[in-house]
Amino acid sequence: MIDENASAAATTTVSHHHDASLYDDDGRPKRRGTVWTVSSHIITAVIGSGVLSVAWSIAQLGWIAGPIIMIFFSLVTLYTSYFLANCYRAGDPITGKRSYTYMEAIGNILGGKNVYFCGIIQYANLYGTTIGYTIGASLSMMAITKIHCIYSSEGKDPCIIYGNRYLMGFGIIQLGFSQLPDFHNISWLSILAAAMSFTYSIIGLILGIIKMAENGTVMGTLAGAKGELPIDNVWGIFLALGNIAFAYSYSFILIEIQDTIKSPFELKTMMFATRISIATTTTFYVLCGCIGYGAFGNSAPGNLLTAFDNPIWLIDIANLALVIHFVGAYQVYSQPLFAFVEEHASKRWPSLEIEHKVEIPFLPSFKLNKLRLVWRSFFVVVTTFISMLVPFFNDIMGVIGALGFWPLTVYFPVEMYIKQMKIQKWSEKWIGLQCLSMFCLLVTLAALVGSVVGVLLDLSKFKAFSSQL
């Protein structure tokens, strides 16, 4: 049912248009995505909150296990991304039926209740990620204010900074950007956000190296941080697994990203872009994580940039770059959710598709859609409200990562690949893929338990709407 509707919506006949060369084989405007635009989308989605928390995650795991687990997650993500890229078109990779969303790919290949299960997990994950990015952006804005306050008072004022106005400020910014129509209109924002990712990651590396030089030693231990009780160590390790899983989470928007690529090179371009993006992000993760842990040891913070207070100008640039990145990343994750709701609403009420041309003096004219204006504004307001209610950056990221990693990054890509490639049941390859899936399920369950415990511990000592740094 989902496939037929999506297909009907997509196949606006080319005969209505004067120039068929402007449209792809499915009647949609010609896709123009390249390796570089796709890589920028992936890097924007992956590098971000993940790179800030990897030092803390390695602190929980230690020098031995930390880097190994990060590389393991990167290889699993790379491997299963190949599976998922093969599922963009059902059947033939050049002429097969397109899937415009992750859910449609499930429907086209697996069908049945898998579609609804995938939809619930995917869109909950997308929504949770936007909450995490709202919290992360506010922390960076708070850090800028705090550093300047401490500097101006010469360290005499503790400078407690409250976060509500920064959370609301980021929400106001997103009210504007959320009116960008769809994924195809945010390539420029993804490229800018990806550039910002490299900017603050490199600054974090530089500051970490300087800190290690000041310490005169490499801090940290082989086994990682020790809690007051043995069970505390277990929860810390589990939460670290969730954070690392989140750091590599982008599979649930992979199909949407692949749908921007110029035809007929979708598969080849997506695989090449995936290799570039995963290699780049893993390099940054391992470097930032290890240098951050080496600089701060077992006391490494959940947001690495908040640990530095000098030089002010460099930290300001890093935090500002981080905020700009979160603006773009928020859109990369929210656009598929926007499209899902708007597509289904417009099918039921076609009049909602009507757009109105708006002209403002001294500014370019633009098209305004009432559904887009009301629904997306409501989305941003609710997201901001929840971020103010539970601003636990690390724990929220852990829960999101744990919930989405196994079903969206491993289980569905593996099952679709098996069916798409007609791999025989109980064959050597089938057994290997199922073993991979089951192992990742166990890791996901451990990460979920640790992350939920972390949230519950934070809730026990937190007052709503009183975020501070």
Side-chain angles (χ1 to χ4, degrees):
M1 181 177 177
I2 289 177
D3 304 337
E4 293 172 2
N5 290 341
S7 184
T11 52
T12 306
T13 53
V14 178
S15 61
H16 289 290
H17 307 290
H18 296 295
D19 190 353
S21 66
L22 297 176
Y23 298 87
D24 275 329
D25 56 0
D26 59 349
R28 291 193 172 191
K30 208 158 191 69
R31 297 159 176 84
R32 304 189 184 280
T34 64
V35 166
W36 306 114
T37 60
V38 172
S39 296
S40 68
H41 281 317
I42 297 173
I43 290 171
T44 298
V46 179
I47 292 184
S49 53
V51 80
L52 299 176
S53 64
V54 286
W56 181 89
S57 297
I58 290 181
Q60 311 310 305
L61 301 166
W63 278 117
I64 296 176
I68 293 173
I69 289 173
M70 290 186 66
I71 292 171
F72 165 77
F73 273 96
S74 72
L75 292 176
V76 170
T77 302
L78 179 65
Y79 197 42
T80 55
S81 293
Y82 286 166
F83 297 163
L84 198 53
N86 273 285
C87 300
Y88 171 64
R89 287 184 182 267
D92 189 276
I94 303 296
T95 61
K97 182 180 179 181
R98 297 174 188 263
S99 296
Y100 302 110
T101 66
Y102 197 123
M103 276 183 69
E104 283 186 40
I106 299 288
N108 290 337
I109 297 172
L110 297 179
K113 294 181 180 179
N114 291 297
V115 179
Y116 302 102
F117 176 63
C118 167
I120 292 169
I121 297 293
Q122 181 191 7
Y123 292 116
N125 217 279
L126 289 171
Y127 189 66
T129 302
T130 61
I131 293 172
Y133 285 161
T134 302
I135 296 168
S138 71
L139 286 172
S140 290
M141 291 187 278
M142 292 162 68
I144 293 173
T145 305
K146 187 179 183 77
I147 290 171
H148 281 272
C149 174
I150 292 173
Y151 180 76
S152 62
S153 68
E154 298 180 349
K156 297 175 183 178
D157 188 339
C159 296
I160 303 300
I161 307 299
Y162 293 94
N164 286 346
R165 61 176 176 171
Y166 298 96
L167 289 163
M168 289 188 287
F170 185 77
I172 290 170
I173 293 171
Q174 290 301 339
L175 284 173
F177 279 101
S178 291
Q179 294 307 310
L180 292 171
D182 53 39
F183 231 129
H184 302 273
N185 295 93
I186 64 170
S187 292
W188 65 272
L189 186 57
S190 284
I191 292 170
L192 174 63
M196 294 299 101
S197 299
F198 291 120
T199 299
Y200 66 72
S201 297
I202 291 170
I203 290 174
L205 284 172
I206 293 170
L207 293 174
I209 292 169
I210 293 172
K211 179 67 175 176
M212 280 198 296
E214 291 175 355
N215 294 339
T217 184
V218 176
M219 301 180 70
T221 59
L222 295 179
K226 299 294 182 184
E228 294 181 7
L229 300 171
I231 193 65
D232 294 334
N233 299 336
V234 175
W235 299 143
I237 290 170
F238 286 178
L239 179 54
L241 292 175
N243 282 341
I244 295 173
F246 173 79
Y248 282 104
S249 293
Y250 83 98
S251 296
F252 45 87
I253 56 171
L254 186 147
I255 296 293
E256 285 84 346
I257 292 174
Q258 194 167 350
D259 190 46
T260 67
I261 298 173
K262 185 187 298 184
S263 183
F265 309 110
E266 299 98 347
L267 181 58
K268 183 179 179 180
T269 300
M270 192 69 206
M271 286 189 164
F272 187 35
T274 298
R275 287 196 295 272
I276 293 172
S277 304
I278 297 298
T280 302
T281 54
T282 300
T283 300
F284 271 96
Y285 281 164
V286 172
L287 285 175
C288 289
C290 290
I291 289 175
Y293 185 43
F296 295 99
N298 293 336
S299 61
N303 182 336
L304 186 60
L305 289 179
T306 61
F308 302 106
D309 54 16
N310 203 35
I312 292 178
W313 64 272
L314 191 59
I315 297 169
D316 281 351
I317 292 173
N319 279 302
L320 183 60
L322 182 57
V323 173
I324 295 171
H325 170 265
F326 278 131
V327 170
Y330 185 106
Q331 288 304 309
V332 168
Y333 277 92
S334 61
Q335 284 292 341
L337 213 162
F338 292 158
F340 174 77
V341 172
E342 289 162 15
E343 180 182 335
H344 284 74
S346 60
K347 283 175 186 173
R348 187 164 184 176
W349 301 287
S351 61
L352 293 175
E353 289 187 299
I354 298 173
E355 294 192 331
H356 305 274
K357 188 175 182 180
V358 177
E359 295 185 0
I360 300 175
F362 310 112
L363 291 175
S365 61
F366 63 94
K367 292 181 178 179
L368 183 67
N369 175 276
K370 291 180 180 179
L371 171 62
R372 188 163 67 230
L373 177 64
V374 174
W375 144 239
R376 297 188 183 190
S377 297
F378 175 77
F379 175 94
V380 173
V381 169
V382 173
T383 301
T384 304
F385 177 83
I386 294 174
S387 301
M388 293 167 65
L389 190 63
V390 283
F392 312 135
F393 186 68
N394 263 23
D395 296 336
I396 292 294
M397 296 298 97
V399 171
I400 295 167
L403 282 174
F405 179 71
W406 178 72
L408 300 177
T409 302
V410 182
Y411 175 74
F412 283 123
V414 165
E415 293 301 314
M416 285 194 289
Y417 183 75
I418 288 173
K419 189 165 184 179
Q420 183 92 322
M421 298 299 157
K422 299 178 181 178
I423 297 172
Q424 289 294 321
K425 196 171 185 178
W426 302 114
S427 66
E428 187 176 325
K429 191 170 186 178
W430 184 89
I431 292 172
L433 291 172
Q434 294 300 333
C435 287
L436 171 67
S437 182
M438 290 306 298
F439 177 76
C440 290
L441 173 60
L442 295 176
V443 172
T444 294
L445 291 174
L448 182 60
V449 170
S451 302
V452 170
V453 168
V455 170
L456 293 176
L457 290 174
D458 281 339
L459 285 172
S460 67
K461 53 188 177 183
F462 175 77
K463 292 183 180 179
F465 305 106
S466 59
S467 168
Q468 63 182 49
L469 180 64

